[in-house]
Amino acid sequence: MYTHEQTIITHGQPLEKTGKALILIHGRGATAESILSLSAHLYASDFSLFAPQATNQSWYPYSFMAPASQNQPALDSALELIHKTVTSIKEQGIESRDIFLLGFSQGACLTAEYATRNAQRFGGLLIFTGGLIGQQLDTSNYKGSFDGTPVLITTGDPDPHVPVSRVDETVKIMEEKGAEVTKKIYQGRSHTILQEEIDLAKKILINK
């Protein structure tokens, strides 16, 4: 088991110029640089970009549907790195409603888990093929209120890693905590991001 080095890649203009941040969280086997390349398709040039890097290119060793204890201490270390990223942005005078989080696959699961454990009015959450983490979801972990945060959450049906049932559970919990959720399930879609998903994400980013 492992913990994560505190590595965060930044890109674009500084926060004092943009006033808003987009945190991008990569999937298993990928890198911060690879997820940053997605920003070119998102009209994100007026955001300051932050991409944490997972040690060993994986945020936690097993499936997100495994018992959470099996993914420790890597999972807690990953959540702490995301928290460090958010905190450092806030310390530069940026409010949570000007902070957006985006993740794909394992990164989408981490995005959902971090945001729901620390619910507040984020600018938006873009959860490309992911859901809350654990074999059974422990709702006592989830604190705060999303206060109308727009959320996009997607998966394929079937998807090899993220079942529709877990997306549905995630939507229910996030809505109960005050999120405005758009859920999209794509029949027969491979484990990827479609143009339609990009277009829906742009709407959330542009409306800021």
Side-chain angles (χ1 to χ4, degrees):
M1 293 296 188
Y2 52 89
T3 57
H4 296 281
E5 297 174 8
Q6 302 296 295
T7 303
I8 304 168
I9 307 299
T10 60
H11 190 70
Q13 299 185 77
L15 283 169
E16 59 263 28
K17 287 191 175 182
T18 65
K20 54 188 179 180
L22 175 59
I23 302 169
L24 302 100
I25 304 173
H26 68 77
R28 190 189 300 271
T31 63
E33 287 84 356
S34 67
I35 194 75
L36 278 168
S37 68
L38 181 63
S39 66
H41 305 280
L42 287 169
Y43 296 161
S45 60
D46 56 345
F47 285 79
S48 299
L49 306 178
F50 299 80
Q53 173 63 55
T55 297
N56 302 328
Q57 298 184 350
S58 178
W59 292 111
Y60 42 84
Y62 300 109
S63 165
F64 86 114
M65 300 285 288
S69 59
Q70 292 184 9
N71 279 316
Q72 298 296 6
L75 175 57
D76 278 353
S77 178
L79 292 167
E80 180 57 35
L81 180 53
I82 306 310
H83 187 65
K84 176 185 176 182
T85 307
V86 171
T87 300
S88 70
I89 292 166
K90 287 183 173 181
E91 287 173 347
Q92 296 177 66
I94 306 301
E95 296 183 4
S96 63
R97 64 176 51 250
D98 294 313
I99 300 174
F100 296 69
L101 292 94
L102 175 157
F104 171 64
S105 190
Q106 192 185 53
C109 297
L110 193 61
T111 298
E113 187 71 17
Y114 171 77
T116 310
R117 289 188 183 208
N118 300 274
Q120 54 203 283
R121 180 49 164 97
F122 291 107
L125 305 175
L126 308 174
I127 302 168
F128 294 120
T129 309
L132 291 167
I133 295 172
Q135 184 177 44
Q136 303 292 328
L137 297 182
D138 181 359
T139 56
S140 68
N141 286 330
Y142 308 131
K143 313 291 185 187
S145 169
F146 282 118
D147 191 24
T149 296
V151 176
L152 171 65
I153 184 169
T154 69
T155 196
D157 185 15
D159 181 87
H161 305 290
V162 181
V164 172
S165 59
R166 177 51 55 91
V167 171
D168 289 341
E169 287 181 276
T170 301
V171 169
K172 181 175 184 292
I173 289 170
M174 293 182 115
E175 287 182 338
E176 287 172 351
K177 298 189 75 58
E180 299 289 339
V181 181
T182 298
K183 177 183 75 174
K184 292 291 182 180
I185 309 298
Y186 296 98
Q187 299 296 320
R189 190 209 65 183
S190 60
H191 194 69
T192 188
I193 301 174
L194 300 177
Q195 184 61 48
E196 180 183 325
E197 294 171 80
I198 294 290
D199 292 341
L200 290 167
K202 283 181 191 174
K203 291 180 181 179
I204 292 175
L205 294 172
I206 291 169
N207 282 338
K208 174 54 198 164

